[in-house]
Amino acid sequence: MSKRNVIIGRIGEIALKGLNRSTFEAQLAKNMKHAISDCGNFKVNWSQSRFFVEGVDDTFKIDYAAECLTKVFGLVSVSPAWSMNTDYEEIKKTAVEVTELKLSTMTPDKGGKISFKVETRRADKKFPMNSQEISADIGGMLLEKFDVLTVDVKNPDFILYVEVRENSYVYTDILPAQGGMPVGCNGKACLLLSGGIDSPVAGYMIAKRGVSLMAVHFFSYPYTSERAKEKVLELAGIVSKYSGPIKVYVVPYTDTQLAINDNCRAELSTVIMRRSMMRIAERIARKNGCSALITGESLGQVASQTMHAIYCTNEAANMPVFRPLIGMDKMETVDIARKIGTFETSILPYEDCCTVFTPKHPKTKPSLNELLEEEKKFDYKELEDIAFNNCEIIRC
């Protein structure tokens, strides 16, 4: 039997690129190699909107590699496939063997039948049969070979796919991937990563647009525990399965947060804290070559995320602040968190510094002038310098 040793990866919007398409394809190939670096020996090639990951020996873990590739931004789907020379008799023989293997995993309906169809893509235009002719011929052959089969072109139980290229491929499964753009093709940004549901999703969504990530976490020990920090690092690790490695700066924020709590009006303290975080995060971001900050804020979700509060927070930063969740409701964010695997970690009961000193009655329409007056009540610049200079750096 032909070997099941190739994964076919399909691209989406990269195919719409013009003269710089090769740059995106090269970045995607690099990211794919990194994602499956522990899956054995393989090589990656691409042609005509298809990427081919081919195992070069028996060490290649094809199913594990396919699962890893579904998390690589830039791919819209992947298929573990059987490869063979472009010889029609060999293609038909493989089609029979692959169909037999597929049928062994399926249960016939009440009438004792399993429906199927054949879909062919003929990229090699020199091949003497066109796609429809190949599909009809192989479909007829399979009907004669397997009594259990019946044709259903609209809603089949399974589809046998045939791709005729320089080499040819037969497969039955298409695994959905993430889509988007290859990470690394659209710059770098700094994610303000808390232990909640929103910020990991925000990081995922920006990475999906091809942006490399680093992260900043504000840690107020002992008011927030080591378990809270571990939770955040676990979240960074989950997001990194999609975005690639993430360097996390853990900022010692206790003294700054206590100074805000002791010196400033309680109803303004959360926005003052957010402004302080923006200033520190921007310094770290610039140090690491980032062009923007990312937050998980959603308009109106809490008092510090009203339009007035966001305006005041933005004023503290001198680089763009991306808020990919700004127009989403909580359940939309939760759905994405569940999909990417961060939700169960995010809801662990370990508080982050944003929730420790939350005032009972925060002001929802703060003015910039009153915030600036409050910031004069303590030496925030010195405290922020100390926090910036004493960060712990952890790679996830």
Side-chain angles (χ1 to χ4, degrees), residues 2 54 58 103 112 234 258 277 280 288 294 316 320 330 394 396:
S2 302
E54 182 177 358
D58 291 337
L103 290 175
E234 183 177 344
L258 287 174
M277 289 178 172
I280 296 171
N288 286 270
I294 309 163
K330 195 67 174 185
I394 302 169
C396 297

Side-chain angles (χ1 to χ4, degrees), residues 11 30 33 36 63-64 108 120 127 130 158 160 163 189 204 218 249 281 284 312 322 333 354 393-394:
I11 60 176
K30 178 181 177 181
K33 290 175 183 177
I36 60 173
D63 291 317
Y64 178 46
T120 302
F127 196 78
N130 65 32
F158 78 95
L160 183 79
E163 294 205 12
Y204 164 87
F218 292 88
Y249 278 66
I284 295 171
C312 293
F322 295 157
T333 304
C354 294
I393 303 173
I394 302 169

